[in-house]
Amino acid sequence: MPLKRTYTIFFISLLSAIVAVASLFLIFNLIQKKNEYLGGLMNKIQSKIDQKDNIQTLQKTVDETKEKESLLSSYLVNPNNVDEFISYLEKEGDSVFVPVDVVSVNAPLDTKNKLNIELKGLGSFENIMSLVTLIENSPYQIKVNHAYINKYIKPKDSPILINGKVFAEPPTKSSLFEINLAFSVVSTE
């Protein structure tokens, strides 16, 4: 009988050990599957968070770009509103006492985003140089093609027109000079 009892305890212990190992194995597999599921879920959540951060960053970039676009457009001449640019040139000429007469404005066919402008003016040498400096330092992207400055020779019996006033002789003792300035400016189209 003691042997039978020992076998019974042995079988119960063995069976308990097998059930315990199997239970641990099942629990381990269950935990592993839950970890994989949670890992995938965490990856999805992280990708959504990254996507939201990217959208916010993109929105900030777009907002900054709008500000820079308006600044950049102030450096470009719109060919549809070239009158504003010509008014700007005339105003700059008047500010340094060199009346500006825009001779031509054209867009070359072979080059996009460019306007060629030619202007003439009459004034003292200092004022003409001030005009050239103002145009070169204007907030537009300008490339001077040529600037001819010559001493003004008044045709016989022809009055001098400065700032809308007619003079028979130059109003100042300094000599008058005329400028023929051609430049190209970057345009939006």
Side-chain angles (χ1 to χ4, degrees):
M1 185 100 176
L3 190 60
K4 192 174 184 184
R5 189 165 183 225
T6 308
Y7 282 129
T8 306
I9 293 175
F10 175 72
F11 282 123
I12 291 174
S13 298
L14 184 64
L15 197 60
S16 298
I18 291 173
V19 168
V21 169
S23 298
L24 287 175
F25 181 74
L26 289 174
I27 291 173
F28 177 75
N29 279 339
L30 182 66
I31 291 173
Q32 184 179 8
K33 289 194 189 282
K34 291 292 182 181
N35 279 344
E36 288 174 2
Y37 172 74
L38 289 175
L41 189 61
M42 293 287 283
N43 286 339
K44 284 182 183 178
I45 291 172
Q46 186 62 40
S47 69
K48 294 291 184 184
I49 291 171
D50 291 344
Q51 187 178 21
K52 184 178 178 183
D53 289 344
N54 288 341
I55 289 172
Q56 289 175 345
T57 304
L58 181 63
Q59 184 63 37
K60 286 179 186 176
T61 304
V62 166
D63 292 342
E64 290 174 3
T65 304
K66 285 181 183 177
E67 294 171 10
K68 291 180 181 179
E69 180 183 9
S70 65
L71 177 65
L72 179 63
S73 66
S74 71
Y75 292 108
L76 304 174
V77 176
N78 186 343
N80 299 328
N81 297 330
V82 74
D83 295 339
E84 293 175 11
F85 182 67
I86 291 173
S87 297
Y88 168 79
L89 291 174
E90 291 172 346
K91 187 178 99 180
E92 291 297 315
D94 291 341
S95 72
V96 292
F97 307 108
V98 178
V100 171
D101 180 29
V102 176
V103 177
S104 70
V105 176
N106 60 17
L109 297 175
D110 60 340
T111 307
K112 281 185 89 170
N113 300 341
K114 186 174 166 184
L115 288 176
N116 290 331
I117 298 175
E118 185 176 351
L119 59 88
K120 290 184 177 182
L122 183 66
S124 70
F125 186 79
E126 294 84 14
N127 292 347
I128 286 178
M129 291 310 295
S130 296
L131 174 67
V132 171
T133 302
L134 280 174
I135 289 174
E136 284 183 332
N137 294 324
S138 69
Y140 296 97
Q141 189 68 32
I142 291 178
K143 178 184 173 231
V144 175
N145 297 332
H146 70 263
Y148 299 122
I149 301 173
N150 299 317
K151 188 170 183 176
Y152 178 70
I153 301 172
K154 181 183 117 175
K156 288 184 181 184
D157 299 329
S158 128
I160 300 172
L161 181 66
I162 299 177
N163 289 337
K165 297 179 184 174
V166 178
F167 297 96
E169 292 296 321
T172 60
K173 293 183 180 180
S174 65
S175 298
L176 286 178
F177 287 82
E178 59 185 345
I179 183 169
N180 182 346
L181 179 65
F183 60 89
S184 57
V185 61
V186 177
S187 66
T188 56
E189 296 176 3

mmCIF file of all heavy atoms in Angstrom, residues 89-121:
data_model
loop_
_atom_site.group_PDB
_atom_site.id
_atom_site.type_symbol
_atom_site.label_atom_id
_atom_site.label_comp_id
_atom_site.label_asym_id
_atom_site.label_seq_id
_atom_site.Cartn_x
_atom_site.Cartn_y
_atom_site.Cartn_z
ATOM 1 N N LEU A 89 9.620 104.874 -60.248
ATOM 2 C CA LEU A 89 10.818 105.452 -60.870
ATOM 3 C C LEU A 89 10.695 106.962 -60.989
ATOM 4 O O LEU A 89 11.658 107.701 -60.715
ATOM 5 C CB LEU A 89 11.047 104.829 -62.252
ATOM 6 C CG LEU A 89 11.462 103.361 -62.289
ATOM 7 C CD1 LEU A 89 11.509 102.869 -63.726
ATOM 8 C CD2 LEU A 89 12.794 103.149 -61.610
ATOM 9 N N GLU A 90 9.538 107.445 -61.413
ATOM 10 C CA GLU A 90 9.336 108.887 -61.556
ATOM 11 C C GLU A 90 9.416 109.583 -60.209
ATOM 12 O O GLU A 90 9.990 110.672 -60.090
ATOM 13 C CB GLU A 90 7.999 109.163 -62.239
ATOM 14 C CG GLU A 90 7.998 108.748 -63.697
ATOM 15 C CD GLU A 90 6.633 108.828 -64.356
ATOM 16 O OE1 GLU A 90 5.613 108.955 -63.620
ATOM 17 O OE2 GLU A 90 6.581 108.760 -65.588
ATOM 18 N N LYS A 91 8.856 108.959 -59.178
ATOM 19 C CA LYS A 91 8.913 109.540 -57.836
ATOM 20 C C LYS A 91 10.355 109.601 -57.341
ATOM 21 O O LYS A 91 10.776 110.599 -56.750
ATOM 22 C CB LYS A 91 8.053 108.706 -56.882
ATOM 23 C CG LYS A 91 7.913 109.303 -55.500
ATOM 24 C CD LYS A 91 7.018 108.446 -54.641
ATOM 25 C CE LYS A 91 7.934 107.611 -53.798
ATOM 26 N NZ LYS A 91 7.331 106.693 -52.884
ATOM 27 N N GLU A 92 11.123 108.538 -57.586
ATOM 28 C CA GLU A 92 12.535 108.543 -57.187
ATOM 29 C C GLU A 92 13.303 109.633 -57.938
ATOM 30 O O GLU A 92 14.157 110.295 -57.362
ATOM 31 C CB GLU A 92 13.176 107.175 -57.438
ATOM 32 C CG GLU A 92 12.681 106.076 -56.519
ATOM 33 C CD GLU A 92 13.002 106.318 -55.067
ATOM 34 O OE1 GLU A 92 14.144 106.708 -54.753
ATOM 35 O OE2 GLU A 92 12.105 106.104 -54.238
ATOM 36 N N GLY A 93 13.004 109.804 -59.223
ATOM 37 C CA GLY A 93 13.654 110.859 -59.995
ATOM 38 C C GLY A 93 13.313 112.235 -59.458
ATOM 39 O O GLY A 93 14.185 113.103 -59.307
ATOM 40 N N ASP A 94 12.044 112.458 -59.145
ATOM 41 C CA ASP A 94 11.629 113.749 -58.602
ATOM 42 C C ASP A 94 12.256 114.010 -57.239
ATOM 43 O O ASP A 94 12.550 115.161 -56.898
ATOM 44 C CB ASP A 94 10.103 113.815 -58.487
ATOM 45 C CG ASP A 94 9.424 113.873 -59.849
ATOM 46 O OD1 ASP A 94 10.107 114.225 -60.845
ATOM 47 O OD2 ASP A 94 8.212 113.562 -59.915
ATOM 48 N N SER A 95 12.497 112.949 -56.458
ATOM 49 C CA SER A 95 13.075 113.140 -55.124
ATOM 50 C C SER A 95 14.515 113.635 -55.186
ATOM 51 O O SER A 95 15.001 114.226 -54.229
ATOM 52 C CB SER A 95 12.991 111.852 -54.319
ATOM 53 O OG SER A 95 13.908 110.890 -54.800
ATOM 54 N N VAL A 96 15.207 113.390 -56.293
ATOM 55 C CA VAL A 96 16.598 113.873 -56.435
ATOM 56 C C VAL A 96 16.694 114.941 -57.527
ATOM 57 O O VAL A 96 17.776 115.211 -58.035
ATOM 58 C CB VAL A 96 17.576 112.711 -56.715
ATOM 59 C CG1 VAL A 96 17.704 111.821 -55.513
ATOM 60 C CG2 VAL A 96 17.196 111.934 -57.943
ATOM 61 N N PHE A 97 15.555 115.536 -57.905
ATOM 62 C CA PHE A 97 15.482 116.644 -58.863
ATOM 63 C C PHE A 97 15.977 116.265 -60.246
ATOM 64 O O PHE A 97 16.627 117.058 -60.927
ATOM 65 C CB PHE A 97 16.245 117.869 -58.333
ATOM 66 C CG PHE A 97 15.808 118.271 -56.966
ATOM 67 C CD1 PHE A 97 16.614 118.052 -55.858
ATOM 68 C CD2 PHE A 97 14.562 118.840 -56.772
ATOM 69 C CE1 PHE A 97 16.193 118.406 -54.589
ATOM 70 C CE2 PHE A 97 14.132 119.192 -55.502
ATOM 71 C CZ PHE A 97 14.949 118.976 -54.392
ATOM 72 N N VAL A 98 15.690 115.039 -60.650
ATOM 73 C CA VAL A 98 15.972 114.593 -62.012
ATOM 74 C C VAL A 98 14.654 114.056 -62.573
ATOM 75 O O VAL A 98 14.265 112.929 -62.270
ATOM 76 C CB VAL A 98 17.054 113.491 -62.050
ATOM 77 C CG1 VAL A 98 17.279 113.016 -63.485
ATOM 78 C CG2 VAL A 98 18.348 113.972 -61.451
ATOM 79 N N PRO A 99 13.952 114.875 -63.362
ATOM 80 C CA PRO A 99 12.700 114.368 -63.932
ATOM 81 C C PRO A 99 12.985 113.185 -64.851
ATOM 82 O O PRO A 99 13.870 113.244 -65.699
ATOM 83 C CB PRO A 99 12.127 115.553 -64.693
ATOM 84 C CG PRO A 99 13.240 116.525 -64.819
ATOM 85 C CD PRO A 99 14.248 116.222 -63.772
ATOM 86 N N VAL A 100 12.258 112.104 -64.645
ATOM 87 C CA VAL A 100 12.489 110.868 -65.381
ATOM 88 C C VAL A 100 11.420 110.716 -66.444
ATOM 89 O O VAL A 100 10.236 110.891 -66.186
ATOM 90 C CB VAL A 100 12.468 109.662 -64.410
ATOM 91 C CG1 VAL A 100 12.495 108.360 -65.166
ATOM 92 C CG2 VAL A 100 13.641 109.737 -63.451
ATOM 93 N N ASP A 101 11.869 110.393 -67.637
ATOM 94 C CA ASP A 101 10.958 110.092 -68.738
ATOM 95 C C ASP A 101 11.230 108.652 -69.158
ATOM 96 O O ASP A 101 12.313 108.334 -69.646
ATOM 97 C CB ASP A 101 11.218 111.060 -69.907
ATOM 98 C CG ASP A 101 10.295 110.798 -71.077
ATOM 99 O OD1 ASP A 101 9.167 110.322 -70.846
ATOM 100 O OD2 ASP A 101 10.713 111.067 -72.226
ATOM 101 N N VAL A 102 10.256 107.771 -68.939
ATOM 102 C CA VAL A 102 10.419 106.359 -69.299
ATOM 103 C C VAL A 102 10.205 106.252 -70.806
ATOM 104 O O VAL A 102 9.130 106.546 -71.316
ATOM 105 C CB VAL A 102 9.436 105.464 -68.527
ATOM 106 C CG1 VAL A 102 9.563 104.022 -68.978
ATOM 107 C CG2 VAL A 102 9.693 105.571 -67.034
ATOM 108 N N VAL A 103 11.255 105.834 -71.513
ATOM 109 C CA VAL A 103 11.222 105.756 -72.973
ATOM 110 C C VAL A 103 10.566 104.470 -73.437
ATOM 111 O O VAL A 103 9.735 104.475 -74.347
ATOM 112 C CB VAL A 103 12.659 105.874 -73.549
ATOM 113 C CG1 VAL A 103 12.652 105.724 -75.049
ATOM 114 C CG2 VAL A 103 13.282 107.184 -73.128
ATOM 115 N N SER A 104 10.926 103.352 -72.807
ATOM 116 C CA SER A 104 10.353 102.079 -73.243
ATOM 117 C C SER A 104 10.310 101.079 -72.098
ATOM 118 O O SER A 104 11.151 101.104 -71.198
ATOM 119 C CB SER A 104 11.149 101.498 -74.409
ATOM 120 O OG SER A 104 12.419 101.065 -73.965
ATOM 121 N N VAL A 105 9.311 100.223 -72.171
ATOM 122 C CA VAL A 105 9.164 99.086 -71.254
ATOM 123 C C VAL A 105 8.768 97.911 -72.122
ATOM 124 O O VAL A 105 7.762 97.964 -72.824
ATOM 125 C CB VAL A 105 8.063 99.336 -70.202
ATOM 126 C CG1 VAL A 105 7.876 98.102 -69.350
ATOM 127 C CG2 VAL A 105 8.376 100.546 -69.356
ATOM 128 N N ASN A 106 9.594 96.864 -72.115
ATOM 129 C CA ASN A 106 9.219 95.684 -72.906
ATOM 130 C C ASN A 106 9.686 94.413 -72.211
ATOM 131 O O ASN A 106 10.605 94.417 -71.416
ATOM 132 C CB ASN A 106 9.771 95.769 -74.334
ATOM 133 C CG ASN A 106 11.284 95.852 -74.379
ATOM 134 O OD1 ASN A 106 11.950 95.549 -73.406
ATOM 135 N ND2 ASN A 106 11.826 96.286 -75.490
ATOM 136 N N ALA A 107 8.991 93.358 -72.526
ATOM 137 C CA ALA A 107 9.328 92.034 -72.000
ATOM 138 C C ALA A 107 9.960 91.237 -73.132
ATOM 139 O O ALA A 107 9.316 90.992 -74.145
ATOM 140 C CB ALA A 107 8.080 91.330 -71.488
ATOM 141 N N PRO A 108 11.227 90.849 -72.995
ATOM 142 C CA PRO A 108 11.855 90.086 -74.064
ATOM 143 C C PRO A 108 11.184 88.732 -74.254
ATOM 144 O O PRO A 108 10.767 88.102 -73.294
ATOM 145 C CB PRO A 108 13.307 89.924 -73.600
ATOM 146 C CG PRO A 108 13.318 90.256 -72.159
ATOM 147 C CD PRO A 108 12.104 91.068 -71.857
ATOM 148 N N LEU A 109 11.060 88.328 -75.503
ATOM 149 C CA LEU A 109 10.391 87.066 -75.805
ATOM 150 C C LEU A 109 11.232 85.857 -75.429
ATOM 151 O O LEU A 109 10.701 84.798 -75.111
ATOM 152 C CB LEU A 109 10.047 87.013 -77.295
ATOM 153 C CG LEU A 109 9.068 88.090 -77.779
ATOM 154 C CD1 LEU A 109 8.906 88.003 -79.286
ATOM 155 C CD2 LEU A 109 7.742 87.951 -77.087
ATOM 156 N N ASP A 110 12.554 86.001 -75.470
ATOM 157 C CA ASP A 110 13.431 84.857 -75.208
ATOM 158 C C ASP A 110 13.688 84.622 -73.717
ATOM 159 O O ASP A 110 14.186 83.577 -73.339
ATOM 160 C CB ASP A 110 14.764 85.038 -75.948
ATOM 161 C CG ASP A 110 15.499 86.300 -75.521
ATOM 162 O OD1 ASP A 110 14.844 87.206 -74.976
ATOM 163 O OD2 ASP A 110 16.716 86.381 -75.743
ATOM 164 N N THR A 111 13.346 85.578 -72.865
ATOM 165 C CA THR A 111 13.624 85.448 -71.439
ATOM 166 C C THR A 111 12.342 85.672 -70.647
ATOM 167 O O THR A 111 11.665 86.670 -70.831
ATOM 168 C CB THR A 111 14.670 86.490 -70.994
ATOM 169 O OG1 THR A 111 15.805 86.393 -71.836
ATOM 170 C CG2 THR A 111 15.082 86.259 -69.564
ATOM 171 N N LYS A 112 12.049 84.730 -69.767
ATOM 172 C CA LYS A 112 10.883 84.886 -68.898
ATOM 173 C C LYS A 112 11.280 85.661 -67.652
ATOM 174 O O LYS A 112 12.438 85.738 -67.293
ATOM 175 C CB LYS A 112 10.353 83.511 -68.478
ATOM 176 C CG LYS A 112 9.523 82.821 -69.516
ATOM 177 C CD LYS A 112 8.955 81.549 -68.967
ATOM 178 C CE LYS A 112 7.624 81.875 -68.323
ATOM 179 N NZ LYS A 112 6.869 80.700 -67.952
ATOM 180 N N ASN A 113 10.283 86.211 -66.988
ATOM 181 C CA ASN A 113 10.456 86.892 -65.713
ATOM 182 C C ASN A 113 11.440 88.053 -65.787
ATOM 183 O O ASN A 113 12.268 88.228 -64.896
ATOM 184 C CB ASN A 113 10.902 85.918 -64.615
ATOM 185 C CG ASN A 113 9.922 84.819 -64.389
ATOM 186 O OD1 ASN A 113 8.771 84.932 -64.760
ATOM 187 N ND2 ASN A 113 10.362 83.749 -63.777
ATOM 188 N N LYS A 114 11.334 88.839 -66.843
ATOM 189 C CA LYS A 114 12.256 89.945 -66.992
ATOM 190 C C LYS A 114 11.564 91.055 -67.769
ATOM 191 O O LYS A 114 10.841 90.790 -68.727
ATOM 192 C CB LYS A 114 13.499 89.462 -67.728
ATOM 193 C CG LYS A 114 14.616 90.457 -67.838
ATOM 194 C CD LYS A 114 15.823 89.765 -68.458
ATOM 195 C CE LYS A 114 16.854 90.725 -68.920
ATOM 196 N NZ LYS A 114 17.955 90.072 -69.601
ATOM 197 N N LEU A 115 11.780 92.283 -67.340
ATOM 198 C CA LEU A 115 11.306 93.456 -68.068
ATOM 199 C C LEU A 115 12.508 94.339 -68.362
ATOM 200 O O LEU A 115 13.335 94.584 -67.485
ATOM 201 C CB LEU A 115 10.301 94.255 -67.229
ATOM 202 C CG LEU A 115 8.922 93.671 -67.027
ATOM 203 C CD1 LEU A 115 8.124 94.562 -66.081
ATOM 204 C CD2 LEU A 115 8.192 93.546 -68.337
ATOM 205 N N ASN A 116 12.594 94.820 -69.584
ATOM 206 C CA ASN A 116 13.637 95.766 -69.957
ATOM 207 C C ASN A 116 13.030 97.157 -69.951
ATOM 208 O O ASN A 116 11.981 97.387 -70.560
ATOM 209 C CB ASN A 116 14.203 95.442 -71.336
ATOM 210 C CG ASN A 116 15.014 94.167 -71.323
ATOM 211 O OD1 ASN A 116 15.592 93.803 -70.308
ATOM 212 N ND2 ASN A 116 15.048 93.475 -72.431
ATOM 213 N N ILE A 117 13.687 98.072 -69.266
ATOM 214 C CA ILE A 117 13.183 99.433 -69.133
ATOM 215 C C ILE A 117 14.285 100.393 -69.521
ATOM 216 O O ILE A 117 15.443 100.215 -69.146
ATOM 217 C CB ILE A 117 12.713 99.698 -67.686
ATOM 218 C CG1 ILE A 117 11.570 98.740 -67.356
ATOM 219 C CG2 ILE A 117 12.297 101.147 -67.497
ATOM 220 C CD1 ILE A 117 11.082 98.798 -65.957
ATOM 221 N N GLU A 118 13.906 101.409 -70.282
ATOM 222 C CA GLU A 118 14.848 102.458 -70.668
ATOM 223 C C GLU A 118 14.243 103.780 -70.261
ATOM 224 O O GLU A 118 13.058 104.041 -70.489
ATOM 225 C CB GLU A 118 15.116 102.435 -72.166
ATOM 226 C CG GLU A 118 16.169 103.421 -72.591
ATOM 227 C CD GLU A 118 16.498 103.333 -74.064
ATOM 228 O OE1 GLU A 118 16.043 102.390 -74.733
ATOM 229 O OE2 GLU A 118 17.208 104.227 -74.546
ATOM 230 N N LEU A 119 15.061 104.627 -69.624
ATOM 231 C CA LEU A 119 14.567 105.934 -69.202
ATOM 232 C C LEU A 119 15.606 106.995 -69.487
ATOM 233 O O LEU A 119 16.783 106.715 -69.664
ATOM 234 C CB LEU A 119 14.165 105.921 -67.723
ATOM 235 C CG LEU A 119 15.207 105.556 -66.666
ATOM 236 C CD1 LEU A 119 15.971 106.785 -66.217
ATOM 237 C CD2 LEU A 119 14.507 104.947 -65.490
ATOM 238 N N LYS A 120 15.115 108.242 -69.539
ATOM 239 C CA LYS A 120 15.984 109.403 -69.745
ATOM 240 C C LYS A 120 15.677 110.406 -68.659
ATOM 241 O O LYS A 120 14.563 110.459 -68.148
ATOM 242 C CB LYS A 120 15.741 110.023 -71.116
ATOM 243 C CG LYS A 120 16.225 109.168 -72.262
ATOM 244 C CD LYS A 120 16.056 109.883 -73.581
ATOM 245 C CE LYS A 120 16.613 109.012 -74.691
ATOM 246 N NZ LYS A 120 16.541 109.641 -75.983
ATOM 247 N N GLY A 121 16.687 111.199 -68.338
ATOM 248 C CA GLY A 121 16.504 112.237 -67.341
ATOM 249 C C GLY A 121 17.478 113.368 -67.571
ATOM 250 O O GLY A 121 18.469 113.235 -68.301
#
